[in-house]
Amino acid sequence: MTRRTIVVLKGDQTGQELLDESLRVLHPNVIGCELDFLPFDLSLATRRDTKNKTVYESAAALNKFGLGIKAATITPEIKGDVGSPNAILRDEIRGEIILRTGRRIPSVRPMAGVHAPIAVVRMAVDDAYNAKEWREGEGLSEMAYRTEKLSRRTCRVVAEYAFRYAQKVGAKVFGGPKYTVSPVYEGMFKEELDAAAARNPTVRYDPQLIDATYALLLELSGEALVIPTLNRDGDVMSDLVIKMFGSIAGAESQVIGFNDDWSVRVVMTEAPHGTAPLITG
């Protein structure tokens, strides 16, 4: 087996404590292969000291070596501060998908009917996040507006990866956007899901509107599912799915960047939860 380098992105508080434990179990005596670790300090203090230079350096290393593991980090609420390292990292590695998987955790009881893993393939770009927002008017006549965008490429990479991942893990592609209400915007995503289904005929495909998907998750028969989603839908859906297995603290989350042929170029696994300062130590 080729020896691989893992880029290690250190974090804050409980995030760093959990990262230390993750690295401890990646010892060769446990996993049976040798790994090299290349550390970068993404703690809030270092990000401030370096004006986020450490974040950009770690992103360059991720692009070079293709694999990374990131601790939870503090995002300061002060305007003009260093902000979130997650946004910078996702932009720099061109992360287009966030894959979040709920699976059974030893000694933790999941919801009834939840047996096999459920993976949410979420857009990491486009849709409601980074949309242009503004308000007009005053008093009760004040109106809030938001301009969202959705690219054909983003729709296609999410759809294609969802079917390829489902093929790999023996799951069914389940769910979809609310294309009946939004035939132009969300309809483009539905078009790409249907096209991916045609390209991958051996993968089971059960398209559902997003609201029906939520309802049907409570009537599971226990089979493995892969749920492709828009960015905002996936953010909410993944938290629900992970909680169905017991706790967001046991969540799996990966940011994935792709080559032009949709093959995986870089993967950064990260903690989707926060740094939990009250239980540090």
Side-chain angles (χ1 to χ4, degrees):
M1 181 180 292
T2 304
R3 186 161 178 154
R4 301 298 299 268
T5 296
I6 311 293
V7 179
V8 177
L9 311 178
K10 298 181 179 181
D12 298 292
Q13 298 169 339
T14 310
Q16 183 57 36
E17 293 176 353
L18 293 172
L19 177 65
D20 290 338
E21 293 302 303
S22 299
L23 297 177
R24 184 175 64 83
V25 298
L26 289 177
H27 192 277
N29 292 342
V30 178
I31 63 174
C33 62
E34 297 282 348
L35 297 172
D36 294 322
F37 298 108
L38 181 60
F40 290 88
D41 187 354
L42 267 60
S43 65
L44 179 58
T46 301
R47 282 181 281 137
R48 282 172 169 165
D49 288 344
T50 65
K51 296 181 172 56
N52 276 333
K53 181 180 178 182
T54 185
V55 183
Y56 286 98
E57 290 175 343
S58 66
L62 284 167
N63 282 321
K64 178 179 179 179
F65 294 106
L67 295 172
I69 179 170
K70 179 185 175 295
T73 48
I74 295 173
T75 297
E77 298 180 1
I78 303 172
K79 186 176 181 180
D81 208 331
V82 289
S84 169
N86 297 334
I88 296 173
L89 289 169
R90 291 172 188 176
D91 285 344
E92 290 296 304
I93 68 173
R94 301 196 310 277
E96 296 178 279
I97 282 177
I98 300 172
L99 175 65
R100 289 185 172 169
T101 304
R103 69 178 76 244
R104 298 195 68 168
I105 305 168
S107 78
V108 177
R109 175 188 285 183
M111 283 183 55
V114 179
H115 303 294
I118 301 175
V120 178
V121 181
R122 168 193 165 190
M123 294 178 181
V125 294
D126 289 352
D127 196 35
Y129 299 151
N130 295 320
K132 179 183 177 182
E133 296 184 334
W134 72 98
R135 294 181 185 178
E136 297 178 3
E138 298 179 353
L140 296 180
S141 297
E142 185 179 16
M143 303 289 287
Y145 298 89
R146 180 168 68 197
T147 301
E148 302 176 6
K149 65 179 178 65
L150 196 58
S151 72
R152 177 72 68 175
R153 176 186 169 89
T154 300
C155 292
R156 184 163 300 178
V157 71
V158 172
E160 186 62 28
Y161 184 78
F163 277 86
R164 291 188 183 188
Y165 186 73
Q167 177 77 66
K168 179 180 179 180
V169 300
K172 175 174 70 176
V173 175
F174 181 74
K178 188 87 170 181
Y179 66 93
T180 52
V181 173
S182 177
V184 174
Y185 183 85
E186 299 194 27
M188 185 162 66
F189 187 29
K190 178 62 162 54
E191 291 169 8
E192 289 298 329
L193 289 171
D194 292 346
R199 291 191 298 269
N200 299 271
T202 60
V203 178
R204 291 173 298 154
Y205 178 40
D206 186 1
Q208 300 285 344
L209 299 178
I210 185 65
D211 50 346
T213 303
Y214 277 105
L216 292 170
L217 280 176
L218 301 179
E219 300 178 359
L220 290 176
S221 60
E223 63 182 326
L225 302 175
V226 173
I227 306 175
T229 68
L230 296 164
N231 201 341
R232 176 68 175 269
D233 288 346
D235 193 357
V236 179
M237 174 68 74
S238 61
D239 281 3
L240 170 69
V241 165
I242 290 164
K243 188 64 177 178
M244 289 169 65
F245 287 86
S247 171
I248 195 172
E252 301 174 24
S253 183
Q254 299 172 341
V255 179
I256 307 175
F258 295 85
N259 296 307
D260 289 337
D261 63 355
W262 314 127
S263 60
V264 174
R265 180 180 56 82
V266 58
V267 179
M268 179 186 72
T269 185
E270 61 176 353
H273 52 74
T275 59
L278 294 180
I279 59 171
T280 300

